[in-house]
Amino acid sequence: MSANGQRLPRLEAAGLDGWLVRLFERIDEDNLAWISALARECEEAFGAALIDLVPSYTTLLVVFDPMQLTPAAARRYLSQRLGQLQSDKAALAGKVHELPTWYDPSVGPDLERVAKHAGLSVEQVIDCHASATYRVFALGFAPGFAFMGLLDERLEVPRLDTPRQRVPVNSVAITGRQTAAYPTATPGGWNILGRTAAKLFDREREGFSLLNVGDCVRFVPVGRDTFVSKGGDTTPVDET
Amino acid sequence: MTETNHVGFRVERAGPLALLQDAGRFGVRRLGVTQGGPADLHGWAWANRLAGNPWAAAALEVTFGGLTLAAECDVTIAVAGADLGATLDNKPLPLWQRVNVGEGQILRFGSPVNGLRAYLAVAGGFYAEPVLGSVSCVSREGLGGFDGHGSKLAEGDRLTVSEKAGQPVAYTQLPEKERIDYREPATLALLPGAQVSDFTGASLYAAFNQAWRVDDRADRMGVRLTGPPLACRVTSMISEGIGLGAVQVPPDGQPIALLNDRQTIGGYPRLGALTPLSAARLAQCLPGQAVHLRATSTESALMAYRRFRHTFF
């Protein structure tokens, strides 16, 4: 493992209260097994001095309380744990979620443009998006927003030139080799294909987020009636 | 400890932005939930301290001013941070000190005189139901605040005060020399980060030797600084966790210092991170104000931060 000629894993200073542990250079499903193992080690090593952990594709940001630990001491904890790290294969056996999704131009205004860009029919785009199982690589951007991959190369499209002011809640969207479902209405530049009826972020739920890093996700195409019966909102994108 | 909650203030006029903030929302960043908390840690901490509250008590962060509150009972308050021309029954309200407010009195915030964000603390602290462990209000996420859903204050809202036993009051006012004049040019201490060597030499020189101007694209997520563009050999990276004060440089070369409501992960190269107290200082700068960046060491940043925090134990 190496990046910029330096060996990985590498500890990078991230302000007074954080170390960014860079474990990998490239995005890969297997990264999760190591990042999740390190997260668990940190919980044990730092105890009450641990403030937050932010796992992402290739890194883990470890945030600690600088009143309890000096950055040098935190670095020593991390080096020790990295030296004896075992990958956590169980992290790759995350939960499998099936998200009922209504693919329709009224709630998926970019379906046709994506089809045109890919040289496929709208039906083929839906088949292609719904036939894969995606892995959750990271949560971020907004509460419960799961970055999932890897999307079929045929559906690779860039972000919109001008992001939408408001992407409706539960929109299912793609960009590059990634896909996601919006847990809250936010501005966004991804290409919207449809809408899921699943409740993605629920503060009454244990763990809050439906999807967590390491989970697997399948989008299951449903018709309008099923979508509505599962609580889906059919308000067209233009009118939300 | 006995605790009873009661209405402390009624909102007569909401103003552009007044948000309830405790120390922040922690342990949930892995879910994509932002940190929140006071943009100016220094002003917030002193308002609470002067009101006799413990470190993490919830205070009101008033940005720009424009807020008018009517006291619904007798309360003790302290306003610290920015001078937003606050008045009590039309007489200037003394800042950085304890003030007793009687039922029916009107507390009015005007417009910025010195700084941008004032902190109103009330003895006992403001009360709201915590959401994911905090009452910090993040409107974008629909979390926290008085209603728990991140709503902005509106006319007619009633603000609840919790009547907890206060801390021993060591200070009734902050000595003049400890107060910050936010109109002075700010020098912000930055801890260089791992990507600092990806910037060109000329850009690194410029970063620490030219004046930066605070742009009007500034909010609780981040503050954009404008000046001659910085060149970085790396334009974007795989998204990774970003900490408070991180100074990221997008392809246009104009740095953005990330504050409390920043997104949890991002993919732009970073010069490093402002120290917590420098991030707080930047949060008091008005658009157009000049700031300088100064590289600092972990040791001196840690010493300064611990000295500051020890005042509030």
Side-chain angles (χ1 to χ4, degrees), chain B residues 3-304:
Chain B
E3 186 180 317
T4 53
N5 302 325
H6 56 91
V7 174
F9 294 96
R10 191 181 65 251
V11 178
E12 302 270 279
R13 184 166 169 245
L17 191 64
L19 302 170
L20 195 62
Q21 298 294 345
D22 58 15
R25 195 165 274 116
F26 300 107
V28 285
R29 237 185 280 173
R30 65 163 86 191
L31 303 173
V33 175
T34 195
Q35 171 178 351
D40 171 15
L41 192 70
H42 175 267
W44 169 86
W46 273 111
N48 267 329
R49 188 74 183 91
L50 294 164
N53 295 334
W55 170 258
L60 201 60
E61 179 180 280
V62 183
T63 305
F64 297 116
L67 172 74
T68 304
L69 301 174
E72 299 258 285
C73 60
D74 295 349
V75 286
T76 300
I77 64 163
V79 174
D83 179 352
L84 301 179
T87 58
L88 187 62
D89 282 351
N90 295 319
K91 286 194 276 293
L93 176 82
L95 305 179
W96 304 97
Q97 70 178 65
R98 284 169 78 82
V99 176
N100 292 316
V101 174
E103 184 181 341
Q105 285 201 288
I106 303 291
L107 175 61
R108 185 178 282 123
F109 290 87
S111 54
V113 175
N114 186 352
L116 185 60
R117 295 178 162 95
Y119 292 87
L120 165 64
V122 56
F126 284 105
Y127 176 81
E129 197 65 48
V131 179
L132 310 190
S134 164
V135 303
S136 284
C137 185
V138 182
S139 305
R140 171 170 52 89
E141 297 183 342
L143 300 176
F146 285 96
D147 71 344
H149 290 273
S151 305
K152 287 167 71 169
L153 287 189
E155 193 184 312
D157 280 356
R158 284 175 155 77
L159 312 186
T160 306
V161 170
S162 71
E163 193 121 34
K164 287 186 186 145
Q167 302 284 99
V169 178
Y171 299 87
T172 53
Q173 61 175 311
L174 183 65
E176 202 79 46
K177 65 172 174 56
E178 299 276 333
R179 305 178 191 183
I180 298 176
D181 186 346
Y182 307 112
R183 292 167 296 198
E184 299 275 316
T187 298
L188 308 175
L190 180 138
L191 292 155
Q195 287 108 39
V196 82
S197 57
D198 293 329
F199 289 84
T200 63
S203 282
L204 277 185
Y205 183 84
F208 295 104
N209 290 283
Q210 72 183 16
W212 292 96
R213 204 157 290 284
V214 174
D215 195 64
D216 55 8
R217 288 165 293 175
D219 56 21
R220 287 180 43 88
M221 289 179 77
V223 175
R224 189 176 282 258
L225 303 176
T226 56
L230 302 180
C232 185
R233 297 180 194 99
V234 177
T235 49
S236 79
M237 315 178 306
I238 297 168
S239 284
E240 56 192 41
I242 34 181
L244 178 71
V247 177
Q248 67 177 21
V249 182
D252 68 3
Q254 305 290 282
I256 303 169
L258 297 168
L259 300 183
N260 300 69
D261 289 358
R262 69 195 177 282
Q263 289 169 356
T264 53
I265 62 177
Y268 291 123
R270 295 178 295 273
L271 272 179
L274 300 180
T275 65
L277 291 173
S278 286
R281 177 67 186 82
L282 178 60
Q284 290 290 8
C285 289
L286 287 154
Q289 217 172 318
V291 297
H292 281 87
L293 300 176
R294 176 177 60 81
T296 190
S297 70
T298 307
E299 292 70 24
S300 67
L302 185 64
M303 215 194 307

Side-chain angles (χ1 to χ4, degrees), chain A residues 83-229:
Chain A
Q84 59 194 46
L85 196 64
Q86 302 281 325
S87 90
D88 174 16
K89 291 275 188 264
L92 295 174
K95 264 194 191 162
V96 180
H97 304 272
E98 295 198 330
L99 307 186
T101 302
W102 184 38
Y103 294 91
D104 186 85
S106 65
V107 293
D110 299 320
L111 263 176
E112 280 162 27
R113 201 171 40 77
V114 169
K116 209 168 169 189
H117 187 274
L120 300 170
S121 67
V122 165
E123 289 67 34
Q124 286 170 318
V125 169
I126 297 169
D127 279 350
C128 186
H129 185 259
S131 62
T133 299
Y134 302 103
R135 181 75 73 175
V136 177
F137 284 106
L139 256 59
F141 176 64
F145 187 99
F147 291 88
M148 299 177 245
L150 287 171
L151 185 70
D152 193 301
E153 282 170 350
R154 287 177 294 165
L155 295 186
E156 215 176 318
V157 279
R159 284 180 174 75
L160 304 181
D161 289 339
T162 308
R164 287 187 172 85
Q165 287 287 343
R166 193 169 178 281
V167 175
V169 61
N170 282 8
S171 291
V172 171
I174 59 170
T175 190
R177 305 272 324 260
Q178 303 191 94
T179 186
Y182 284 69
T184 48
T186 57
W190 291 29
N191 304 274
I192 309 176
L193 303 185
R195 197 176 291 172
T196 177
K199 192 157 173 53
L200 299 161
F201 193 84
D202 181 355
R203 48 206 239 184
E204 308 304 327
R205 179 196 289 133
E206 176 77 25
F208 315 114
S209 177
L210 176 66
L211 310 178
N212 286 287
V213 171
D215 287 357
C216 290
V217 176
R218 277 195 290 272
F219 294 92
V220 180
V222 295
R224 189 181 197 277
D225 292 348
T226 311
F227 178 70
V228 170
S229 75

